[in-house]
Amino acid sequence: MMLNGKQIRHLTLPLWKALIKHIAVQKRAEQQLKESRENLRVLAETVPQLVWTTSPDGWVEYWNQRWYDYSSSSPAQALGHRWSQFLHPDDSQRTLKIWHHACASGEPYEIEYRLKDGQTGEYRWFLTRGIPVRDEGGQIVKWFGTATDIENQKRTEEALRQSQERIRVLIESNIIGITSVEMEGEVLADANEAFLRMTGYTREEVQSRTLNRVKITSPEQAPLFERSIQELTARGQHAPFETELVCQDGSRLPVLVGGVIFQEQPRQMVVFLLDNSARKELEQRKDDFISMASHELRNPLTALKMQIQLVRKQLEKHSQPEAATALARVEGPVKQLERLIAVLLDVSRMQAGSLEYRRERVDLDEVLREVTATIHHLHPSHTILVRRSVQTSLIGDRDRLGQVFTNLLSNAIKYSPDAQTVEMDLSASDDAVTIRVRDHGLGIPRELRDKIFERSYRVTDPKRKAIPGLGMGLYIVAEIVKHQGGTITVDSAVGKGSTFTVTLPLNEGCLSS
């Protein structure tokens, strides 16, 4: 209400007081509105989202500073309807359609779209929400909204979608058998078609909860599964291992098994099974061939060796030293071939479980002295340092134990061509003897240490030419040590060498049958 000067002069005291109070209230309301707007501005500039306001018809009146920092734009480029130039072309039409519908209907809206990063030129996903602000009469006076960066969430969702798609393809491919297992009782809860086809069990048998690990595996495999359960408990997954499944008809199927924890309550795991029978059959055929070829080569090689020795002696007898020397050079490759055949035969017999071991009293110090003397003769470029002696004996196969340390020392020299020293430390306790063979060579990467005792596996050095050998030496060593009742481990670092530790029990009953 506006008063002129004449009206003001005729105001009574009560009216004066009422007018002053009204003006004070109005000033206070204006101040509160100003403070409220300032608080809203500070809030809009503080939150991590992009904040905007528009007029009732959708004309953008305000962006917070975070928008300008993200888009690298100015008010002239972003206010009004010009902000739409930052939309991804594939999202523009859909976004504007939804926005115009919201303005026309007055309904809150929510949409996901991509906005261009002004610094990198790349697009990032944002989740935008807008709500109308109404006056006391219900009329929209402006729109208020935020845009939240959800790029990382989108990437996670896409990675999860791709992962689920890969799992779906894997399940439907019928290449890998997949089962879900209730860890309480190790009961099979479900299985895919590949598992059913591999084992002959029906889906009804699986879903009836009558199949568990004990029923589909043999008792001697229990330690493998117990170790896998321990790994699952500790890490949520276990390393794949080879085993056999007992099929519905009682036959056994070689498989490669891997598992992961899928659900905690109730605790369930997913088990993946790959039919390993083709590889096992191929390995068996290969072993049979190696065994046959080794036996077939051994006799003519022995005859050839004897003929060479006989002819060499005849040449020496008839004073033809040069011819005798030339012939003697042939003996080296023949001996090498003989050793190769012996290795192949050992591996073949180990696979068949027919390698013979003697039980005899073995003076370990004496064996190690003979081995080191032989290795030094063959490799005079390297020095073998033996620290301490064990001064003890054990029951075992003397030749096989010699084979263990011959292989370890030969490997130490082979894989440390730039070093001149190999070390062997000996120590003993009341019930065991420990021998450590240390080199200063190439070293073994951590992820490969478990593989070096596998048959035909060799450590390689990309900076050098291929290191000769069949990759069976350490396999043979591990099998002999295992048969002796001992253990072998390796500690290594790339470029710093390796230490192989062999521990052998001293009690006479330790030798495996």
Side-chain angles (χ1 to χ4, degrees):
M1 179 183 66
M2 298 296 295
L3 300 176
N4 57 35
K6 185 176 180 180
Q7 291 173 319
I8 291 175
R9 285 194 299 270
H10 289 84
L11 287 175
T12 62
L13 182 60
L15 289 175
W16 270 106
K17 289 182 179 180
L19 178 60
I20 293 172
K21 183 177 180 181
H22 173 76
I23 294 174
V25 169
Q26 188 175 23
K27 287 290 186 180
R28 189 159 55 251
E30 291 175 354
Q31 181 63 28
Q32 288 175 346
L33 179 61
K34 182 179 179 181
E35 291 177 355
S36 177
R37 287 175 176 172
E38 179 61 18
N39 290 338
L40 182 61
R41 187 193 68 79
V42 171
L43 178 63
E45 296 296 336
T46 304
V47 296
Q49 286 88 359
L50 311 180
V51 179
W52 50 267
T53 63
T54 76
S55 61
D57 61 357
W59 181 273
V60 177
E61 300 174 325
Y62 166 80
W63 286 104
N64 67 347
Q65 185 59 42
R66 196 171 294 276
W67 159 269
Y68 294 112
D69 293 340
Y70 174 79
S71 64
S72 298
S73 64
S74 64
Q77 296 170 313
L79 296 179
H81 297 305
R82 290 182 291 274
W83 70 274
S84 61
Q85 65 181 299
F86 298 96
L87 280 169
H88 192 286
D90 293 344
D91 302 334
S92 179
Q93 185 175 355
R94 174 178 59 88
T95 300
L96 295 178
K97 181 179 179 181
I98 293 175
W99 172 228
H100 292 151
H101 173 75
C103 290
S105 65
E107 298 174 353
Y109 81 102
E110 181 178 298
I111 187 174
E112 294 179 1
Y113 52 65
R114 287 162 287 184
L115 290 173
K116 188 176 183 179
D117 186 322
Q119 297 181 5
T120 66
E122 297 178 351
Y123 287 88
R124 296 179 66 85
W125 281 99
F126 284 81
L127 170 63
T128 294
R129 294 186 174 98
I131 59 172
V133 179
R134 303 176 185 273
D135 61 15
E136 294 178 355
Q139 296 297 312
I140 296 176
V141 294
K142 67 171 57 184
W143 285 82
F144 177 86
T146 61
T148 304
D149 188 329
I150 59 170
E151 177 68 20
N152 292 337
Q153 176 185 330
K154 278 288 188 180
R155 291 183 180 180
T156 301
E157 290 175 354
E158 177 61 19
L160 180 60
R161 186 194 66 77
Q162 292 179 0
S163 177
Q164 291 174 337
E165 178 65 17
R166 285 194 292 268
I167 292 174
R168 185 189 64 79
V169 171
L170 186 64
I171 292 174
E172 294 179 356
S173 69
N174 280 335
I175 296 174
I176 296 179
I178 301 176
T179 68
S180 63
V181 178
E182 296 173 354
M183 296 186 66
E184 183 67 33
E186 300 181 40
V187 177
L188 272 65
D190 202 355
N192 70 341
E193 290 295 331
F195 176 85
L196 301 178
R197 188 184 68 253
M198 288 162 58
T199 62
Y201 293 108
T202 64
R203 187 168 301 281
E204 289 72 22
E205 287 177 300
V206 173
Q207 293 179 344
S208 66
R209 302 294 201 275
T210 59
L211 297 180
N212 59 15
R213 195 264 299 169
V214 174
K215 187 169 183 178
I216 65 173
T217 62
S218 54
E220 63 268 20
Q221 297 169 343
L224 288 174
F225 287 90
E226 289 171 3
R227 186 161 60 246
S228 71
I229 293 297
Q230 291 173 358
E231 288 185 36
L232 280 166
T233 302
R235 299 168 42 227
Q237 61 182 12
H238 70 78
F241 63 90
E242 294 183 4
T243 185
E244 289 181 333
L245 290 182
V246 178
C247 299
Q248 203 272 347
D249 61 3
S251 62
R252 294 194 176 191
L253 176 71
V255 291
L256 183 67
V257 178
V260 296
I261 296 293
F262 177 71
Q263 179 177 293
E264 285 294 341
Q265 294 297 332
R267 205 165 197 206
Q268 287 191 334
M269 62 181 289
V270 173
V271 179
F272 303 90
L273 305 104
L274 181 65
D275 187 337
N276 212 20
S277 55
R279 187 173 73 85
K280 285 294 185 181
E281 182 181 353
L282 181 61
E283 285 184 357
Q284 185 59 51
R285 292 170 63 182
K286 182 172 65 174
D287 290 339
D288 292 342
F289 171 77
I290 290 174
S291 179
M292 179 190 69
S294 300
H295 281 291
E296 292 297 324
L297 287 171
R298 198 171 193 180
N299 290 336
L301 186 63
T302 301
L304 176 62
K305 183 179 176 182
M306 292 176 62
Q307 289 296 322
I308 291 173
Q309 292 173 349
L310 181 60
V311 173
R312 179 169 57 80
K313 290 179 180 179
Q314 290 294 328
L315 291 172
E316 291 173 349
K317 184 177 180 180
H318 290 85
S319 301
Q320 297 184 33
E322 292 182 1
T325 301
L327 191 61
R329 295 194 187 100
V330 180
E331 291 182 326
V334 170
K335 289 180 179 178
Q336 185 177 5
L337 185 56
E338 192 174 37
R339 287 194 296 271
L340 174 60
I341 293 174
V343 167
L344 292 175
L345 276 174
D346 280 349
V347 171
S348 178
R349 289 167 179 164
M350 284 176 176
Q351 289 295 111
S354 60
L355 187 64
E356 295 181 357
Y357 291 88
R358 291 198 301 272
R359 289 178 59 88
E360 56 189 335
R361 177 68 60 179
V362 179
D363 184 329
L364 197 56
D365 285 309
E366 183 180 340
V367 170
L368 295 177
R369 282 195 298 269
E370 291 177 4
V371 168
T372 53
T374 301
I375 295 296
H376 180 70
H377 177 73
L378 295 173
H379 303 279
S381 60
H382 283 69
T383 300
I384 301 174
L385 298 178
V386 180
R387 296 192 176 93
R388 296 185 293 276
S389 65
V390 289
Q391 297 180 351
T392 190
S393 62
L394 49 80
I395 298 298
D397 188 315
R398 190 180 195 282
D399 292 340
R400 294 300 178 191
L401 288 172
Q403 190 176 357
V404 166
F405 298 106
T406 298
N407 274 332
L408 289 178
L409 289 172
S410 297
N411 263 12
I413 292 172
K414 182 194 301 184
Y415 287 97
S416 55
D418 297 330
Q420 287 76 43
T421 303
V422 172
E423 303 163 26
M424 187 159 61
D425 294 328
L426 286 69
S427 60
S429 63
D430 293 338
D431 55 2
V433 59
T434 300
I435 304 95
R436 293 181 177 85
V437 177
R438 181 185 180 191
D439 65 60
H440 302 274
L442 306 178
I444 306 166
R446 180 181 297 275
E447 65 274 12
L448 302 181
R449 292 180 197 170
D450 291 338
K451 295 180 177 290
I452 61 172
F453 297 109
E454 295 177 3
R455 188 173 55 160
S456 301
Y457 185 84
R458 292 190 301 134
V459 176
T460 58
D461 181 9
K463 298 179 181 179
R464 301 179 185 271
K465 295 181 179 179
I467 297 174
L470 296 176
M472 296 185 181
L474 288 177
Y475 169 76
I476 293 174
V477 165
E479 288 297 311
I480 294 174
V481 170
K482 178 182 176 182
H483 193 276
Q484 183 70 34
T487 60
I488 180 168
T489 59
V490 61
D491 185 25
S492 184
V494 175
K496 296 183 180 180
S498 306
T499 300
F500 287 83
T501 302
V502 176
T503 302
L504 301 170
L506 294 177
N507 54 305
E508 295 188 10
C510 65
L511 197 62
S512 301
S513 57

